[in-house]
Amino acid sequence: MSDNDGKKTLGLRGGNRPGNVTQSFSHGRKKNVVVETKRKRVVVPKPGATKTGGGGGSKSGGDPNRRPAGISDAEMERRLKALQAAKAREAEDAAKREAEEKARAEERERRRQEAEAKEREQREAEERARKKAEEEERKKKEAADAAEAAKRAAAAPAPSTTASPQGRGAPTNKPAAQPTQRKADREREQRGGRGKGRDDGRRSGKLTLGQATGGENSRHRSMASMKRKQERARQKAMGGAVEREKVVRDVQLPEAIMVSELANRMAERVADVVKELMKMGMMVTQNQTIDADTAELIIEEFGHKVVRVSDADVEDVISDVEDDEGALQSRPPVITIMGHVDHGKTSLLDAIRDAKVVSGEAGGITQHIGAYQVKTDDGVTLSFLDTPGHAAFTSMRSRGAQVTDIVVLVVAADDSVMPQTIEAINHAKAAEVPMIVAINKIDKPAADPNKVRAELLQHEVIVEAMSGEVQDVEVSAHTGQGLDALLEAIALQAEILELKANPDRAAQGAVIEAQLDVGRGPVATVLVQKGTLRQGDIFVVGEQYGKVRALINDKGERVQEAGPSVPVEVLGLNGTPEAGDVLNVTETEAQAREIAEYRAQVAKDKRAAAGAATTLEQLMQKAKDDENMAELPILVKADVQGSAEAIVQAMEKIGNNEVRVRVLHSGVGAITETDVGLAEASGAPVMGFNVRANASARNTANQKGVEIRYYSVIYDLVDDVKAAASGLLSAEIRENFIGYANIKEVFKVTGVGKVAGCIVTEGVARRSAGVRLLRDNVVIHEGTLKTLKRFKDEVAEVQSGQECGMAFENYDDIRAGDVIEIFEREEVTRTLD
C-alpha cells in the first residue's frame, strides 16, 4: 500500500514501463483494473466480469486479439481506425509544417537576391550619373579654358608660356592638374558612400532622377532647358552675343479683347503688355478691355503677326460649299404660281391637286404662301408655291420667286394684264427664272387670249404664239381644260433646266412661312433646297435655332426626313423666324446658339442705329419733326409671320409729312393680356388678323377700355387704319374772296375811333368775313371788322356799288385810297390717299 487510497501497484516486467498494471483496492473491495500504455489508457473490467479472467493487456504488452470486456468487434475496429486516422493527420500536419518552413526559407533567399540585384543596379546607375556629370563638368571647364585662352590670345598675340604661375602662362598648367583632382574627388566619394547612407539608399526603393543627380527634394530643369543653358554658356564663352530666340506667333485679334487675354495669345508676360500700354498713355489693368486698333499696335510692338477676326466669323461653320458633280442627283422642280388678285391662281392649283384650298381662304383670296407637292399621272413629282396676289404681299411674292425654279404666270383671259401681273413679271425677271404663261378662264364668254398675249408684249414677255420663247397654255381651272398641257409644259421646262441637288449633305432650305401654333409652339414651313433634313437635326434659321422635333408634309403626315425640293413643317424652334430666312443645319447646338445670338445682336444694333440721331442737327430736326407730326399707334397680331410682315409694310406706307402710323409691336399668335397692357399704356388699338384674344385679354380690354378689332381680309385692315389716320390730319383752310372796297374818306367817331367811308367796288362786304388792308397792293393788316354800317344802321352785308362805313378791330392806321379785301374761310376735311 502506497498511501491512504489503498492503491497497490503490481509491477510486471519491471518498473513503471509501458504495460504495467495498476490494481486499485478500496476498503478491501476489488475495483476495475486500469491498464496504462504509452499512447492509450484502457479500462479493464473487474476480474470475473468476463468469461476469460486474468489481467488485461495492451497492444504492445498483451495479446492483440484480446479486447476489454463489453466492447464489440465493430466498436473495437472503429476505435482502431480512429487511432490510425489520428496518426495519419499528425503525419500530414508534420509534412505541411515542413513544406511551409521550406517555402519561407526559399522566399527569404529570393528577397535577399532581389535586394542584392536592386542594390547593384542602384550602384551602377549612381556610377553612370556621376560619370555623366563629371563628363559634362569636364567639357564645360574645357570650353571655359578654351574661351579664356582665346581671349588672352586675342589680347596678347605672343603670350609667354614659361611665366610664373601668377602670370599669363599659368592657365596652361591648369588642365594637366584637373584629372588628378577629379580622380581624388571620385575616390573620396567612393569611400564616403560605403557607410550607413548606402544602406539607407538600398532600402529607399526605386532610383529617381532627383536621387541620381544628387537633389532629391529640389526642383530641376528639364533636359531641353539644360541644353539651352549650355548653348548660351558656350556662345558666351566664344565671345558671341547671347540672344533669346524670338517666336513669332499669329495672334487672332477680335474687335475687343482683354489685356490678359492678349498677353496669353502672344505668350508674353502680362506685366510687359501693361507696361507697353502705359508707355502709350493708357493706364489699364489686366482685366480691362482695349479696342482692336490699340491691340494691333501692341502686337506689332512685340513682333508678332496680327490676324483680324470678327464676330461674323461664327457664321463660317455654315458657309456654302460647292457640291461635287458626282454627288448631285435629280430633284423635283419648284413651281411658283403668281399673278393678279382673283385671276384664279389658287383655283388652278386646286384643279391640279384635286383639293379645295380656295374654299378656306377669307374673301376668296390667298392670305399666305402655300407649299404643296403634286405627283402627275406620268409619275413626275412637282413642288408648287402659291403666293398671294394682293399688293400688300409684294415681299412675300418676292421670296416666292427667289426660291423657285419655274414661274407660272396666271392671267385671266377676261381681265388681261393688271398691276400685280406686272409685279409678278418683274419678280420673275429679277430672279432670272423661266416663265410659263397660263391664260386662265378661257371658258368665259368675255375671254380674249389674244388680247392677253398682245398686252404681254408691252412688258417684254413674248409667248410662243407670238414667235417668242415663253410657253403659253390656255387653261380653265373650272372645267379642267388645258391642265395636262400645262403639266407637260412644266415637265418640259424642268427637263431643260436639269435640276440637281446633293441629298447627302447638311440640309439648307428657305422658310416659306412661320406661325405660332397653340400646343405645337413655333412652326415654320420650310422648302428644303439642298441636302436632307432629318428628325433630330440641330439647325439655325435667322435669329432662331432649334432641334427638329417633328417633320410634317403638306398632307399632314409625319415624316422622318425631307430631301431637296420637299416642303415640310418643322417643329422644335425656340422662336418664330421671319418668312424668307435661310435654314442651315449645324453640328452642335452651341454653334447654332452662338450664330443665332450674333444675328440677333446685329439686328438689334441695326434697329438702334436706324432710330438714333448722330449729330446735334439731326437731334434737333428729329425733335421738331416729332413735335409737328401726329402719330397713330397700333398693335398688330397675325396668325403667321408673313402676314404680320406684310401688314407692317402696308402700315409704313400710310401717312405723309403730317401724320404717320406707328406699329408699336407686331407678332404672331393670339392677342394676350400683355398686348392689351401695352396698348393701354400707349393709347393704341389692337388689330388682330385671323387671330382672337383669349379670355383674360378680353376681360382686361373691357376693363381698361382698349379697342380690339378683328380682320380676316388684309385690305379691310389697311382701309380702316388709313381712315383712322386721316382723322389726325388738320383740316384744310380755304379762302374764298367775296369782295373789294375802296376807302374814300376817314372819319373820327367818338367812342369808336377811326371809321373808313368806303364804297364796295366788287362782290359783297359781310360783317362776319375776314378783311385785309392793302396799301399800294401790299398787305399791311389782316383781321376782322369791328363794325359795318349803312348810314347809321349796323348791317350784316353791303352789296356792290353801295357806300358803307367800316371800322377794324384793334387797328386805326387807315388812309384814304387804301383797298379793303374781303374774304371768307372754309375748312375742308382731308384724307390720306
Side-chain angles (χ1 to χ4, degrees), residues 509-517 519-526 533 536-552 568-584 589 592 596 599 641:
V511 176
I512 303 301
E513 196 51 85
Q515 61 182 339
L516 187 63
D517 195 310
R520 296 194 301 171
V523 180
T525 302
V526 177
L533 184 63
D537 285 347
I538 300 170
F539 62 89
V540 58
V541 49
E543 301 175 21
Q544 312 298 334
Y545 69 96
K547 184 177 182 179
V548 179
R549 195 172 72 233
L551 296 174
I552 302 174
V568 288
E569 283 188 338
V570 178
L571 281 69
L573 294 97
N574 70 326
T576 307
E578 299 287 337
D581 287 341
V582 178
L583 181 143
N584 294 98
E589 185 178 355
R599 290 177 176 174
Q641 186 66 37

Side-chain angles (χ1 to χ4, degrees), residues 59-352:
K59 183 179 179 181
S60 58
D63 186 1
N65 295 324
R66 294 183 64 185
R67 61 177 180 273
I71 296 177
S72 64
D73 296 340
E75 179 67 16
M76 189 64 183
E77 186 177 359
R78 186 185 64 79
R79 291 185 180 185
L80 291 176
K81 286 182 178 180
L83 182 62
Q84 292 174 359
K87 290 181 179 181
R89 282 196 300 273
E90 185 176 356
E92 185 179 352
D93 292 342
K96 187 180 294 185
R97 285 194 298 273
E98 185 178 356
E100 289 177 356
E101 186 66 24
K102 184 177 180 181
R104 282 195 291 270
E106 291 177 354
E107 179 67 18
R108 286 194 296 271
E109 180 65 20
R110 185 182 62 79
R111 289 182 180 179
R112 184 183 64 78
Q113 292 177 358
E114 288 181 356
E116 291 178 355
K118 193 173 184 180
E119 181 182 359
R120 185 166 56 253
E121 291 176 359
Q122 185 174 356
R123 287 198 301 268
E124 292 175 356
E126 290 177 356
E127 184 66 20
R128 287 195 299 270
R130 185 179 58 77
K131 289 182 179 180
K132 185 175 181 181
E134 290 178 355
E135 185 67 19
E136 290 180 356
E137 185 67 22
R138 183 183 62 78
K139 291 180 179 180
K140 193 182 300 184
K141 289 182 179 181
E142 290 178 355
D145 294 342
E148 185 68 21
K151 285 184 180 180
R152 293 178 179 177
S160 175
T161 57
T162 57
S164 64
Q166 303 298 328
R168 294 182 181 268
T172 56
N173 298 326
K174 187 175 181 180
Q178 286 180 356
T180 305
Q181 182 67 28
R182 286 198 298 270
K183 185 176 180 182
D185 295 338
R186 189 160 55 248
E187 293 176 354
R188 186 164 54 254
E189 290 175 1
Q190 291 177 355
R191 287 194 301 271
R194 294 177 182 174
K196 184 178 179 180
R198 292 181 60 85
D199 295 336
D200 295 339
R202 185 183 302 113
R203 292 190 298 265
S204 63
K206 295 182 179 180
L207 178 66
T208 62
L209 183 61
Q211 294 172 349
T213 55
E216 182 177 359
N217 297 324
S218 61
R219 184 177 178 181
H220 297 277
R221 293 186 176 182
S222 63
M223 189 62 67
S225 176
M226 295 295 294
K227 289 182 178 179
R228 290 195 297 269
K229 182 179 179 182
Q230 292 175 5
E231 182 65 20
R232 288 195 297 270
R234 188 184 65 79
Q235 291 181 357
K236 185 176 181 181
M238 297 299 294
V242 181
E243 293 184 0
R244 185 178 179 182
E245 182 181 358
K246 182 68 175 180
V247 179
V248 179
R249 292 179 170 84
D250 293 335
V251 181
Q252 291 189 351
L253 181 60
E255 297 175 359
I257 188 172
M258 288 180 57
V259 176
S260 58
E261 178 63 21
L262 178 61
N264 290 336
R265 295 187 181 187
M266 294 190 299
E268 303 286 350
R269 295 173 63 244
V270 179
D272 296 339
V273 178
V274 173
K275 186 184 298 182
E276 288 295 330
L277 288 169
M278 288 183 176
K279 289 180 182 179
M280 297 170 60
M282 297 179 63
M283 300 299 162
V284 296
T285 63
Q286 65 176 355
N287 296 325
Q288 287 183 260
T289 303
I290 59 176
D291 60 288
D293 295 335
T294 305
E296 184 174 357
L297 295 176
I298 296 298
I299 293 171
E300 292 176 350
E301 183 69 24
F302 281 91
H304 300 291
K305 295 180 180 179
V306 179
V307 179
R308 283 286 190 120
V309 295
S310 64
D311 295 338
D313 293 341
V314 298
E315 294 189 341
D316 291 344
V317 297
I318 58 172
S319 58
D320 194 7
V321 180
E322 292 295 332
D323 296 317
D324 297 333
E325 290 293 334
L328 299 179
Q329 300 179 14
S330 298
R331 65 173 179 85
V334 180
I335 303 99
T336 301
I337 309 293
M338 303 179 74
H340 192 69
V341 176
D342 200 29
H343 275 201
K345 300 183 301 298
T346 307
S347 299
L348 181 62
L349 186 59
D350 272 354
I352 297 174

Side-chain angles (χ1 to χ4, degrees), residues 318 320 505-510 527-532 582-585:
I318 58 172
D320 194 7
R505 56 162 290 175
Q508 177 180 333
L527 178 67
V528 181
Q529 295 172 301
K530 299 178 182 178
T532 301
V582 178
L583 181 143
N584 294 98
V585 173

